[in-house]
Amino acid sequence: MNIGIIVAAGKGERTKLSYPKQFYQILGKSLLRIALEKYEYSELINKIVVVANEEFMEETKKECYNLNKVYGIIKGGESRQESVYNALKNIYNNFGFDVLFVSIHDAARPFVSIDKINEGIEIAKKYGSAILALPEKNSVSHVVGDVIDKILDRNEIFLHQTPQTFDFHKLYKAYTNFENELKSFTDDASIFHKAGNFVRIISGEEYNVKITTEFDLKFAKWLIKEGKINA
Ligand code: CTP
Ligand code: MG
């Protein structure tokens, strides 16, 4: 069994909306709903768990109407990684290690394609993990204060996206290893990697942006209204 984890427990402070960005609507559909439908319609995902902000449980429930795969809506934590950990514990308590793979995805990335969700599962079946990542196009450096310390080789730099798909047993073990320091990590791949596991990269998608700022909200609206992307 493969489970999709949609993390939607954030507050979306950087968008400066008066409510969390996952509820921002474009053409009548919230970002959360768009992301959820991608998982609902992926044939390789059997069940979905949604991690919600405690203060927005009802709103989150509404976004899950008619989605047959959503088995639970659970409370998030203070950080993204704590939200994911709550989902992993919930999955373990409900299904144990009958779950083979988990595909973890930000509700704030509604424009992922179903094909990429599926590719993540297929590649993780072979290698134990698969995360979407894009090669860096700019020159990059390590900076101390406001001075360049070292120029990095951009051919070796990749930017992580989600979905990030993992062997459930190995990821669960990695999270329990680092359960007291989850806040210090920014994604699931970094925890999986820190625990000594290989993280396999697959090609990310340009449109699969994490909607973070006011600009991103406008960009998302434009993408959909101009028909650049389907939602
Ligand atoms: N997230 C979560 N639990 C948290 C924090 C974040 O489930 N405690 C989720 C967000 O809902 C989002 C994803 O993790 O789908 C990526 O996080 P981010 O883009 O930082 O979203 P927010 O934390 O909501 O935004 P901000 O940091 O601007 O407040
Ligand atoms: Mg955040």
Side-chain angles (χ1 to χ4, degrees):
M1 178 168 36
N2 305 322
I3 297 192
I5 299 172
I6 305 293
V7 281
K11 294 190 183 130
E13 281 168 347
R14 285 169 289 176
T15 59
K16 303 204 176 75
L17 291 170
S18 56
Y19 54 91
K21 60 191 176 185
Q22 52 270 33
F23 303 112
Y24 181 75
Q25 292 205 350
I26 305 176
L27 300 180
K29 242 189 226 184
S30 69
L31 301 184
L32 172 59
R33 179 74 189 188
I34 299 169
L36 280 168
E37 287 183 359
K38 302 284 174 60
Y39 274 73
E40 178 78 11
Y41 300 130
S42 153
E43 62 272 26
L44 297 184
I45 296 291
N46 306 102
K47 290 183 189 298
I48 301 167
V49 61
V50 184
V51 191
N53 187 304
E54 194 171 1
E55 289 164 34
F56 292 88
M57 291 305 278
E58 280 311 308
E59 287 82 353
T60 305
K61 211 179 275 174
K62 276 187 207 149
E63 299 303 321
C64 298
Y65 68 92
N66 279 347
L67 297 177
N68 297 320
K69 291 182 183 171
V70 176
Y71 82 82
I73 301 168
I74 64 167
K75 280 179 204 165
E78 267 176 42
S79 66
R80 182 190 181 280
Q81 270 27 266
E82 287 161 315
S83 291
V84 172
Y85 193 35
N86 287 355
L88 297 177
K89 286 185 283 190
N90 182 276
I91 291 170
Y92 179 71
N93 290 336
N94 278 290
F95 309 107
F97 293 123
D98 286 345
V99 176
L100 297 180
F101 295 94
V102 288
S103 170
I104 305 172
H105 189 57
D106 296 329
R109 291 184 193 269
F111 302 138
V112 66
S113 68
I114 295 173
D115 282 350
K116 277 292 164 187
I117 298 171
N118 291 342
E119 190 184 336
I121 302 266
E122 295 291 7
I123 300 297
K125 274 184 195 166
K126 278 193 197 150
Y127 300 102
S129 64
I131 74 157
L132 271 62
L134 283 178
E136 180 51 61
K137 294 177 286 194
N138 298 290
S139 295
V140 280
S141 59
H142 179 257
V143 172
V144 178
D146 44 18
V147 175
I148 291 181
D149 168 51
K150 200 175 153 199
I151 304 289
L152 303 178
D153 179 356
R154 77 164 164 220
N155 296 318
E156 294 179 352
I157 304 292
F158 283 75
L159 308 179
H160 299 190
Q161 298 185 333
T162 71
Q164 300 192 348
T165 309
F166 304 93
D167 175 299
F168 176 55
H169 190 262
K170 286 184 183 165
L171 185 70
Y172 191 69
K173 224 171 119 191
Y175 262 81
T176 48
N177 274 352
F178 297 111
E179 65 180 356
N180 296 322
E181 41 185 310
L182 293 178
K183 271 198 184 96
S184 65
F185 297 91
T186 55
D187 70 353
D188 312 297
S190 44
I191 295 172
F192 197 73
H193 183 258
K194 180 95 179 184
N197 300 296
F198 285 105
V199 183
R200 182 87 187 187
I201 297 289
I202 60 174
S203 191
E205 297 178 300
E206 297 276 2
Y207 284 135
N208 184 24
V209 288
K210 183 162 72 69
I211 294 172
T212 307
T213 61
E214 282 175 286
F215 171 84
D216 296 334
L217 291 172
K218 286 186 189 139
F219 180 59
K221 202 166 235 176
W222 178 82
L223 280 176
I224 292 188
K225 290 199 167 155
E226 292 290 316
K228 305 281 181 208
I229 204 145
N230 293 319

